[in-house]
Amino acid sequence: MSASSPRSRSGYSSGLRAVWQSGLGPWTLLWTGMLLSALVLAFASGCGRTVLVREGSPMRIGPSTRAQVWTRVDGEWELSASRVEIPEGWYLVPPSFVEKE
């Protein structure tokens, strides 16, 4: 094999070949790949947490909040087309706090 062949330049393929020849075989490589994939998915998905708030309790906006908001236009509620910056400290109230028309 010459020094310029693709196989000699790739440490990855020679490393796989060494693992294969060491007797670990395809099942070890398969399980290792599956474990690494599961770890990547677990860390990439993040840690989500849901907090349920009672109907009667208002909430305040935290720092750096961007969201789509509902606005009242000509007596009808319309969802904004894009996200807007909501200042920290503004209150969110449940629908029961809003006067009915």
Side-chain angles (χ1 to χ4, degrees), residues 5-78:
S5 72
R7 286 190 180 195
S8 64
R9 284 186 276 162
S10 172
Y12 180 74
S13 64
S14 63
L16 283 177
R17 191 178 313 112
V19 168
W20 190 273
Q21 291 172 350
S22 70
L24 293 177
W27 292 110
T28 301
L29 291 175
L30 177 68
W31 284 107
T32 303
M34 288 173 50
L35 176 64
L36 288 175
S37 297
L39 287 173
V40 166
L41 283 174
F43 286 114
S45 64
C47 299
R49 185 174 80 166
T50 301
V51 177
L52 300 177
V53 179
R54 288 177 288 143
E55 168 69 20
S57 67
M59 298 175 285
R60 290 184 73 182
I61 295 289
S64 302
T65 302
R66 292 183 57 80
Q68 285 183 288
V69 296
W70 290 90
T71 55
R72 197 153 175 120
V73 178
D74 298 327
E76 297 291 322
W77 289 102
E78 293 183 12

